[in-house]
Amino acid sequence: MLILGIESSCDETSIAIVRDGNEILSNKISSQIAIHKEYGGVVPEIASRQHIKNIAAILQESLEEAKVTLDDIDYIAVTYAPGLIGALLVGVSFAKGLAYGKNIPLVPVHHIRGHIYANFIENEVELPCMALVVSGGHTNIIYIDKNYNFKNLGATLDDAVGESYDKVARVLGIGYPGGPVIDKMYYEGNPNFLKITTPRVEGYNFSFSGIKTSVINYVNKMNMKKENFKPEDLAASFQQKVVNILCDKVLKACDENPVKNIIIAGGVAANSLLRKELKERGEGKGLNVYFPSMKLCTDNGAMIALAAYYKIKNGYKEEIDLSLNGVATLAIDEI
Ligand code: KG4
Ligand code: ZN
């Protein structure tokens, strides 16, 4: 089964072709980071325009690399939510056009499900498992039962982890996206430099806003006093606190629910400290800890194709009206 996966929810235009849910024939990604960097974050209108400019060429490149044509494709999968609405519309409209023109079934995919299923491309993950979702817009702990049913156990009450990384980076003046830079700075700083209070949050929920504010307040205080500080120390203190909280919560969820496996999903799954600490601490408790390879952590079309593969395997029937007469809307649903 060949699935073409299209992703355009934020600042990456990506199209991939995946065979039988485990073989990536191509996964072309055109990142707009260099363009948005000068604004300190993603500018939605620019993102939509870049997707329009790139998407047809990315399709061509992806087909060429996979050495297939559109006639070989069995399903077209596309991210329909969540994300920047203009950016999503480009991918969804493009996917609908292809599906209608070539008479190929269309499968709508929730972006976060894509991040979760990225774990299943390279690893044989046994179910049930616990998913720690850490992206620019989401922070969730999700229990996945043996029939691939998702149960959301907890979520952030304010900022998402990736969002707080990006906001701290902005205050430290180190550009967008902040995650990868803070991750590097961690190794040149003192993680015990700034004492950050652990927020008291019930159950499996999270809060990152106070942690971010501790760093921002320190920076403002030092700037007001015209005193110097080492940004690496703040980056290290911030990252250490965030990673400790993520590990504590997901391991608690594993203690209290019947699972032996943990997966990490979303852009922050690329974080070196989170990967190391969760693996060490999880394995110390007899759990298997999985994360996608770096290229599959951030937004890409392969994860969207994969999520569609599992959706089809679990009985998905095309439910979208692609006729030109019908209003072809996709309902926004929960993860
Ligand atoms: O999943 P993603 O590509 O987009 C969303 O679906 O939101 O995640 C992007 C987020 C950004 O906030 C970025 O700063 C963060 O992932 N990120 C990282 C790292 N690489 C990317 N955060 C921490 N450490 C990293 N190495
Ligand atoms: Zn994402």
PDB file of all heavy atoms in Angstrom, residues 7 9-10 12 82 111-112 114-115 134-138 265-267 297-300 303, ligand 2:
ATOM      1  N   GLU A   7       2.043  17.500   4.615  1.00  0.00           N
ATOM      2  CA  GLU A   7       2.064  18.261   5.875  1.00  0.00           C
ATOM      3  C   GLU A   7       2.347  19.737   5.552  1.00  0.00           C
ATOM      4  O   GLU A   7       3.328  20.042   4.876  1.00  0.00           O
ATOM      5  CB  GLU A   7       3.165  17.681   6.784  1.00  0.00           C
ATOM      6  CG  GLU A   7       3.676  18.596   7.872  1.00  0.00           C
ATOM      7  CD  GLU A   7       2.630  19.005   8.897  1.00  0.00           C
ATOM      8  OE1 GLU A   7       1.769  18.181   9.250  1.00  0.00           O
ATOM      9  OE2 GLU A   7       2.669  20.172   9.330  1.00  0.00           O
ATOM     10  N   SER A   9       1.116  22.326   8.208  1.00  0.00           N
ATOM     11  CA  SER A   9       0.378  23.011   9.272  1.00  0.00           C
ATOM     12  C   SER A   9       1.100  24.223   9.856  1.00  0.00           C
ATOM     13  O   SER A   9       0.483  25.085  10.455  1.00  0.00           O
ATOM     14  CB  SER A   9       0.055  22.029  10.398  1.00  0.00           C
ATOM     15  OG  SER A   9       1.250  21.605  11.010  1.00  0.00           O
ATOM     16  N   CYS A  10       2.428  24.293   9.680  1.00  0.00           N
ATOM     17  CA  CYS A  10       3.146  25.425  10.277  1.00  0.00           C
ATOM     18  C   CYS A  10       4.186  25.961   9.293  1.00  0.00           C
ATOM     19  O   CYS A  10       3.823  26.535   8.272  1.00  0.00           O
ATOM     20  CB  CYS A  10       3.753  24.996  11.603  1.00  0.00           C
ATOM     21  SG  CYS A  10       4.379  26.379  12.562  1.00  0.00           S
ATOM     22  N   GLU A  12       6.782  24.078   7.788  1.00  0.00           N
ATOM     23  CA  GLU A  12       7.434  23.087   6.937  1.00  0.00           C
ATOM     24  C   GLU A  12       6.447  22.610   5.889  1.00  0.00           C
ATOM     25  O   GLU A  12       5.334  22.220   6.232  1.00  0.00           O
ATOM     26  CB  GLU A  12       7.895  21.859   7.741  1.00  0.00           C
ATOM     27  CG  GLU A  12       9.337  21.904   8.178  1.00  0.00           C
ATOM     28  CD  GLU A  12       9.505  22.390   9.595  1.00  0.00           C
ATOM     29  OE1 GLU A  12       8.539  22.236  10.372  1.00  0.00           O
ATOM     30  OE2 GLU A  12      10.571  22.950   9.915  1.00  0.00           O
ATOM     31  N   PRO A  82      -4.253  20.284  14.088  1.00  0.00           N
ATOM     32  CA  PRO A  82      -4.332  21.721  14.327  1.00  0.00           C
ATOM     33  C   PRO A  82      -3.174  22.416  13.625  1.00  0.00           C
ATOM     34  O   PRO A  82      -2.239  21.752  13.176  1.00  0.00           O
ATOM     35  CB  PRO A  82      -4.186  21.805  15.853  1.00  0.00           C
ATOM     36  CG  PRO A  82      -3.329  20.626  16.202  1.00  0.00           C
ATOM     37  CD  PRO A  82      -3.614  19.558  15.175  1.00  0.00           C
ATOM     38  N   HIS A 111      -2.598  16.345  13.189  1.00  0.00           N
ATOM     39  CA  HIS A 111      -1.144  16.530  13.226  1.00  0.00           C
ATOM     40  C   HIS A 111      -0.475  15.796  14.394  1.00  0.00           C
ATOM     41  O   HIS A 111       0.590  15.194  14.242  1.00  0.00           O
ATOM     42  CB  HIS A 111      -0.875  18.034  13.309  1.00  0.00           C
ATOM     43  CG  HIS A 111       0.558  18.401  13.303  1.00  0.00           C
ATOM     44  ND1 HIS A 111       1.328  18.390  12.173  1.00  0.00           N
ATOM     45  CD2 HIS A 111       1.382  18.790  14.309  1.00  0.00           C
ATOM     46  CE1 HIS A 111       2.555  18.761  12.475  1.00  0.00           C
ATOM     47  NE2 HIS A 111       2.616  19.013  13.770  1.00  0.00           N
ATOM     48  N   ILE A 112      -1.108  15.850  15.557  1.00  0.00           N
ATOM     49  CA  ILE A 112      -0.495  15.233  16.735  1.00  0.00           C
ATOM     50  C   ILE A 112      -0.503  13.701  16.622  1.00  0.00           C
ATOM     51  O   ILE A 112       0.422  13.021  17.060  1.00  0.00           O
ATOM     52  CB  ILE A 112      -1.189  15.716  18.033  1.00  0.00           C
ATOM     53  CG1 ILE A 112      -0.968  17.225  18.203  1.00  0.00           C
ATOM     54  CG2 ILE A 112      -0.694  14.959  19.257  1.00  0.00           C
ATOM     55  CD1 ILE A 112       0.491  17.669  18.279  1.00  0.00           C
ATOM     56  N   GLY A 114      -0.047  12.260  13.886  1.00  0.00           N
ATOM     57  CA  GLY A 114       1.120  12.054  13.020  1.00  0.00           C
ATOM     58  C   GLY A 114       2.386  11.958  13.853  1.00  0.00           C
ATOM     59  O   GLY A 114       3.170  11.013  13.724  1.00  0.00           O
ATOM     60  N   HIS A 115       2.582  12.933  14.755  1.00  0.00           N
ATOM     61  CA  HIS A 115       3.787  12.905  15.606  1.00  0.00           C
ATOM     62  C   HIS A 115       3.852  11.591  16.397  1.00  0.00           C
ATOM     63  O   HIS A 115       4.917  11.000  16.552  1.00  0.00           O
ATOM     64  CB  HIS A 115       3.772  14.075  16.589  1.00  0.00           C
ATOM     65  CG  HIS A 115       4.311  15.350  16.005  1.00  0.00           C
ATOM     66  ND1 HIS A 115       5.572  15.442  15.471  1.00  0.00           N
ATOM     67  CD2 HIS A 115       3.765  16.586  15.870  1.00  0.00           C
ATOM     68  CE1 HIS A 115       5.781  16.678  15.049  1.00  0.00           C
ATOM     69  NE2 HIS A 115       4.699  17.398  15.270  1.00  0.00           N
ATOM     70  N   VAL A 134       5.182  16.288  23.041  1.00  0.00           N
ATOM     71  CA  VAL A 134       5.863  17.547  23.362  1.00  0.00           C
ATOM     72  C   VAL A 134       6.185  18.300  22.068  1.00  0.00           C
ATOM     73  O   VAL A 134       7.196  18.060  21.427  1.00  0.00           O
ATOM     74  CB  VAL A 134       7.165  17.288  24.175  1.00  0.00           C
ATOM     75  CG1 VAL A 134       6.850  17.068  25.626  1.00  0.00           C
ATOM     76  CG2 VAL A 134       7.952  16.084  23.641  1.00  0.00           C
ATOM     77  N   SER A 135       5.290  19.212  21.692  1.00  0.00           N
ATOM     78  CA  SER A 135       5.536  19.942  20.442  1.00  0.00           C
ATOM     79  C   SER A 135       5.470  21.441  20.695  1.00  0.00           C
ATOM     80  O   SER A 135       5.398  21.882  21.835  1.00  0.00           O
ATOM     81  CB  SER A 135       4.507  19.520  19.392  1.00  0.00           C
ATOM     82  OG  SER A 135       3.276  20.140  19.666  1.00  0.00           O
ATOM     83  N   GLY A 136       5.450  22.207  19.608  1.00  0.00           N
ATOM     84  CA  GLY A 136       5.374  23.659  19.742  1.00  0.00           C
ATOM     85  C   GLY A 136       4.016  24.110  20.262  1.00  0.00           C
ATOM     86  O   GLY A 136       3.902  25.161  20.881  1.00  0.00           O
ATOM     87  N   GLY A 137       2.988  23.309  20.039  1.00  0.00           N
ATOM     88  CA  GLY A 137       1.640  23.715  20.433  1.00  0.00           C
ATOM     89  C   GLY A 137       0.975  22.787  21.438  1.00  0.00           C
ATOM     90  O   GLY A 137      -0.094  23.104  21.950  1.00  0.00           O
ATOM     91  N   HIS A 138       1.580  21.635  21.721  1.00  0.00           N
ATOM     92  CA  HIS A 138       0.937  20.636  22.580  1.00  0.00           C
ATOM     93  C   HIS A 138       1.885  20.069  23.624  1.00  0.00           C
ATOM     94  O   HIS A 138       3.083  19.914  23.358  1.00  0.00           O
ATOM     95  CB  HIS A 138       0.416  19.448  21.749  1.00  0.00           C
ATOM     96  CG  HIS A 138      -0.812  19.772  20.976  1.00  0.00           C
ATOM     97  ND1 HIS A 138      -0.781  20.565  19.870  1.00  0.00           N
ATOM     98  CD2 HIS A 138      -2.108  19.413  21.162  1.00  0.00           C
ATOM     99  CE1 HIS A 138      -2.007  20.696  19.392  1.00  0.00           C
ATOM    100  NE2 HIS A 138      -2.831  20.006  20.153  1.00  0.00           N
ATOM    101  N   ALA A 265       6.737  12.074  21.366  1.00  0.00           N
ATOM    102  CA  ALA A 265       6.290  12.578  20.070  1.00  0.00           C
ATOM    103  C   ALA A 265       6.319  14.096  20.015  1.00  0.00           C
ATOM    104  O   ALA A 265       6.062  14.758  21.015  1.00  0.00           O
ATOM    105  CB  ALA A 265       4.867  12.093  19.820  1.00  0.00           C
ATOM    106  N   GLY A 266       6.634  14.640  18.832  1.00  0.00           N
ATOM    107  CA  GLY A 266       6.619  16.098  18.648  1.00  0.00           C
ATOM    108  C   GLY A 266       8.023  16.663  18.575  1.00  0.00           C
ATOM    109  O   GLY A 266       9.005  15.986  18.904  1.00  0.00           O
ATOM    110  N   GLY A 267       8.118  17.923  18.168  1.00  0.00           N
ATOM    111  CA  GLY A 267       9.415  18.558  17.928  1.00  0.00           C
ATOM    112  C   GLY A 267      10.379  18.477  19.106  1.00  0.00           C
ATOM    113  O   GLY A 267      11.586  18.288  18.929  1.00  0.00           O
ATOM    114  N   CYS A 297      11.237  13.669  14.082  1.00  0.00           N
ATOM    115  CA  CYS A 297      10.707  14.353  15.272  1.00  0.00           C
ATOM    116  C   CYS A 297       9.952  15.621  14.892  1.00  0.00           C
ATOM    117  O   CYS A 297       8.858  15.872  15.384  1.00  0.00           O
ATOM    118  CB  CYS A 297      11.837  14.741  16.232  1.00  0.00           C
ATOM    119  SG  CYS A 297      12.455  13.358  17.180  1.00  0.00           S
ATOM    120  N   THR A 298      10.560  16.439  14.032  1.00  0.00           N
ATOM    121  CA  THR A 298       9.882  17.685  13.646  1.00  0.00           C
ATOM    122  C   THR A 298       8.955  17.400  12.463  1.00  0.00           C
ATOM    123  O   THR A 298       8.931  16.295  11.931  1.00  0.00           O
ATOM    124  CB  THR A 298      10.918  18.791  13.339  1.00  0.00           C
ATOM    125  OG1 THR A 298      11.974  18.206  12.612  1.00  0.00           O
ATOM    126  CG2 THR A 298      11.479  19.389  14.592  1.00  0.00           C
ATOM    127  N   ASP A 299       8.188  18.414  12.083  1.00  0.00           N
ATOM    128  CA  ASP A 299       7.091  18.195  11.130  1.00  0.00           C
ATOM    129  C   ASP A 299       7.556  17.594   9.801  1.00  0.00           C
ATOM    130  O   ASP A 299       8.499  18.091   9.190  1.00  0.00           O
ATOM    131  CB  ASP A 299       6.366  19.521  10.884  1.00  0.00           C
ATOM    132  CG  ASP A 299       5.699  20.034  12.148  1.00  0.00           C
ATOM    133  OD1 ASP A 299       5.617  19.261  13.124  1.00  0.00           O
ATOM    134  OD2 ASP A 299       5.271  21.193  12.152  1.00  0.00           O
ATOM    135  N   ASN A 300       6.869  16.553   9.362  1.00  0.00           N
ATOM    136  CA  ASN A 300       7.221  15.884   8.103  1.00  0.00           C
ATOM    137  C   ASN A 300       6.023  15.105   7.574  1.00  0.00           C
ATOM    138  O   ASN A 300       5.110  14.766   8.317  1.00  0.00           O
ATOM    139  CB  ASN A 300       8.430  14.955   8.339  1.00  0.00           C
ATOM    140  CG  ASN A 300       8.085  13.803   9.253  1.00  0.00           C
ATOM    141  OD1 ASN A 300       7.628  12.756   8.782  1.00  0.00           O
ATOM    142  ND2 ASN A 300       8.255  13.975  10.571  1.00  0.00           N
ATOM    143  N   MET A 303       5.235  11.068   8.737  1.00  0.00           N
ATOM    144  CA  MET A 303       4.441  10.762   9.936  1.00  0.00           C
ATOM    145  C   MET A 303       2.938  10.869   9.633  1.00  0.00           C
ATOM    146  O   MET A 303       2.126  10.162  10.232  1.00  0.00           O
ATOM    147  CB  MET A 303       4.844  11.681  11.105  1.00  0.00           C
ATOM    148  CG  MET A 303       4.449  13.130  10.935  1.00  0.00           C
ATOM    149  SD  MET A 303       5.101  14.136  12.290  1.00  0.00           S
ATOM    150  CE  MET A 303       4.034  15.587  12.157  1.00  0.00           C
TER     151      MET A 303
HETATM  152 ZN    ZN B   2       4.398  19.305  14.782  1.00  0.00          ZN
END
